[in-house]
Amino acid sequence: FYYQVLPAASSLLTALSALCYLYSALGVGFYGGAICDAPAPGCDSHLLDGSDYVNMGYWPINFNSHADGMIVLFQLLLVNNWMVTADAYKTVSGSSLALVFFTSFYIIAVLVGLNVCQAFVLERFVERLSKDSANDKSVSDKSAANDKSAIDSLTVAL
């Protein structure tokens, strides 16, 4: 089943990957270097002292590189404390536009993108299930017809 669904879903997964790539590039451009675990020029991480972001040890979750940005977005796709991350970037940037950035990604990627992917997989599953049940019914109909002809031939023989 999976070997049939994955090629068909490749366009959806490609679109979701392209969206993550775009948001990662934007995140690196907007927030690259804003959060770091060691003192560095331009790093405002001291603003996060005492926050949930620091208490949970989320230092590696940052937009300091494209790869790091993809990890942040994967975390957001899993809806893993995404408000903690969004609040940290709002704090260090000093702007509520960080909330717009994270909320727009949540709406587009999670609420729309992942739900479309799930609907696609479920639709393929239901198609396969109905196809299998139709095949089972035709096999049982043939079996019943064969049983009836066998009974008829036995009846004639007696």
Side-chain angles (χ1 to χ4, degrees):
F1 170 72
Y2 292 109
Y3 63 89
Q4 295 171 338
V5 171
L6 288 178
S10 66
S11 60
L12 291 171
L13 296 174
T14 301
L16 195 57
S17 297
L19 181 69
C20 287
Y21 185 88
L22 172 69
Y23 266 84
S24 178
L26 290 172
V28 169
F30 293 149
Y31 307 113
I35 294 180
C36 49
D37 57 351
C43 184
D44 293 329
S45 296
H46 66 279
L47 297 173
L48 298 174
D49 290 342
S51 69
D52 288 339
Y53 190 87
V54 172
N55 294 336
M56 292 180 181
Y58 278 13
W59 294 113
I61 301 172
N62 57 53
F63 284 105
N64 293 343
S65 70
H66 182 69
D68 290 339
M70 292 297 279
I71 292 170
V72 172
L73 297 175
F74 184 74
Q75 174 216 7
L76 297 178
L77 279 174
L78 298 177
V79 193
N80 181 22
N81 291 331
W82 72 278
M83 284 305 297
V84 172
T85 306
D87 186 52
Y89 279 96
K90 177 185 166 241
T91 301
V92 296
S93 69
S95 172
S96 293
L97 289 178
L99 296 179
V100 172
F101 176 82
F102 285 97
T103 304
S104 67
F105 181 80
Y106 177 79
I107 290 169
I108 295 168
V110 177
L111 295 183
V112 176
L114 286 181
N115 282 325
V116 168
C117 287
Q118 287 175 348
F120 179 81
V121 170
L122 287 174
E123 180 183 355
R124 295 292 182 208
F125 178 75
V126 169
E127 282 177 11
R128 177 67 185 254
L129 192 62
S130 62
K131 181 180 172 185
D132 287 349
S133 68
N135 287 341
D136 289 346
K137 186 175 191 284
S138 68
V139 167
S140 67
D141 289 347
K142 287 178 185 176
S143 176
N146 288 340
D147 290 347
K148 185 177 182 324
S149 69
I151 291 172
D152 290 341
S153 62
L154 279 176
T155 305
V156 171
L158 292 174

